[in-house]
């Protein structure tokens, strides 16, 4: 075996696990980085750039099983022989916001390289806002919580970005600590909700932003 290969046995033979995951942040060059990596002849693409698999397990109440990983995730990567090692991976920006994802990823892929790109939070947020405004999905994201599904209806009723920034500033001031705030994909308590400590995902998604 090539020493860089972490072998897994499936379909009666060994193959190498994915070598890297680009985990975020959205609108910070993850697509470009993934394309640059694929220009190398020894880097092979996954079935899609964003597999989003680990994002299905944002909540500690849901845990991926070995069958989930072997049946729904690994088949989306090319089969790489341990004797002819190549690099493969995926890029799903939303993984950065998932507190449980690193634990689950490293359980099944203990030597995977986790890569993150960061960007100044305000220009990043505005870039994502413009993207969602063009798609008419701003309201969808404002109403999304970890325990409900994304709305299907499109809407042009997007508040101005300045109002979203002002709303987060007001919430951060009234709630005191970033630990008391929550956003779209964060676990939260009834107390946090009653206190109005929700921050919209365009400005406040991800604890690194709120700190």
């Amino acid at each position: 075996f090539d020493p860089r290969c972490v072998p897994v046995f499936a379909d009666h033979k060994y193959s190498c696990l994915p070598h890297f995951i680009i985990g975020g942040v959205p609108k910070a060059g993850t697509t470009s980085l993934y394309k640059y990596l694929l220009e190398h002849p020894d880097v092979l693409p996954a079935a899609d750039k964003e597999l989003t698999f680990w994002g299905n397990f944002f909540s500690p109440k849901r845990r991926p099983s070995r069958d989930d990983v072997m049946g729904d995730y690994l088949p989306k990567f090319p089969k790489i022989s341990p004797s002819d090692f190549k690099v493969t991976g995926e890029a799903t920006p939303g993984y950065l916001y998932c507190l449980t994802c690193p634990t689950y990823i490293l359980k099944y892929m203990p030597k995977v390289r986790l890569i993150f790109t960061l960007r100044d939070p305000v220009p990043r947020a505005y870039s994502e806002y413009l993207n969602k405004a063009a798609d008419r999905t701003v309201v969808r994201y404002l109403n999304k919580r970890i325990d409900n599904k994304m709305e299907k209806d499109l809407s042009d009723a997007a508040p101005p970005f300045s109002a979203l920034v002002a709303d987060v500033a007001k919430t951060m001031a009234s709630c005191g600590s970033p630990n008391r705030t929550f956003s779209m994909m964060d676990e939260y308590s009834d107390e946090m909700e009653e206190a109005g400590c929700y921050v919209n995902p365009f400005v406040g998604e991800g604890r690194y932003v709120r700190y």
Side-chain angles (χ1 to χ4, degrees), residues 9 15 19 41 46 63 67 70 72 78 99 105 112 114 118 126 130 134 199 201:
F9 191 74
S15 60
H19 199 67
R63 299 181 180 183
D67 289 343
M70 297 297 290
D72 298 334
L99 295 179
I105 290 170
V112 71
L114 298 176
L118 301 178
Y126 187 55
L130 292 178
V199 293

Side-chain angles (χ1 to χ4, degrees), residues 4-8 15-20 69-70 74 77 80 85-86 88 108-111:
R4 295 169 296 175
C5 173
V6 178
V8 60
S15 60
C16 300
L17 287 173
H19 199 67
F20 71 88
V69 176
M70 297 297 290
L74 294 183
F77 294 94
I80 296 175
F85 180 75
K86 305 289 183 184
T88 189
Y108 293 103
M109 298 190 295
K111 294 187 178 181

Side-chain angles (χ1 to χ4, degrees), residues 6-194:
V6 178
V8 60
F9 191 74
D11 298 328
H12 309 290
K13 61 181 179 181
Y14 284 101
S15 60
C16 300
L17 287 173
H19 199 67
F20 71 88
I21 292 176
I22 301 173
V25 60
K27 313 307 292 183
T30 57
T31 298
S32 295
L33 177 58
Y34 191 67
K35 288 181 178 179
Y36 298 152
L37 290 173
L38 291 180
E39 290 178 0
H40 194 286
D42 288 337
V43 180
L44 304 179
D48 293 297
K49 172 224 167 193
E50 296 186 30
L51 298 183
T52 70
F53 172 81
W54 303 103
N56 295 318
F57 307 99
F58 266 88
S59 171
K61 299 174 184 177
R62 296 194 63 207
R63 299 181 180 183
S65 67
R66 187 176 189 278
D67 289 343
D68 291 330
V69 176
M70 297 297 290
D72 298 334
Y73 186 63
L74 294 183
K76 295 179 180 178
F77 294 94
K79 298 291 185 182
I80 296 175
S81 169
S83 61
D84 185 24
F85 180 75
K86 305 289 183 184
V87 170
T88 189
E90 62 139 325
T92 300
Y95 290 162
L96 180 66
Y97 302 143
C98 174
L99 295 179
T100 56
C101 284
T103 298
Y104 298 150
I105 290 170
L106 294 174
K107 177 180 178 180
Y108 293 103
M109 298 190 295
K111 294 187 178 181
V112 71
R113 304 291 181 89
L114 298 176
I115 304 169
F116 296 95
T117 60
L118 301 178
R119 181 180 177 186
D120 185 295
V122 175
R124 190 220 67 80
Y126 187 55
S127 178
E128 186 169 13
Y129 171 83
L130 292 178
N131 180 266
K132 297 297 189 291
D135 292 342
R136 302 172 62 209
T137 58
V138 170
V139 174
R140 277 189 190 179
Y141 282 84
L142 292 178
N143 293 337
K144 178 75 177 75
R145 301 292 188 277
I146 194 170
D147 52 3
N148 67 18
K149 293 184 178 180
M150 186 80 75
E151 296 175 357
K152 295 183 179 180
D153 293 338
L154 301 176
S155 174
D156 292 317
F161 184 72
S162 59
L164 297 178
V165 174
D167 177 65
V168 169
K170 180 180 177 181
T171 301
M172 295 294 294
S174 65
C175 291
S177 168
N179 281 332
R180 296 193 65 234
T181 63
F182 68 99
S183 194
M184 183 174 72
M185 298 309 295
D186 294 327
E187 295 283 337
Y188 61 95
S189 65
D190 292 340
E191 179 188 2
M192 292 161 66
E193 185 173 28
E194 292 168 2

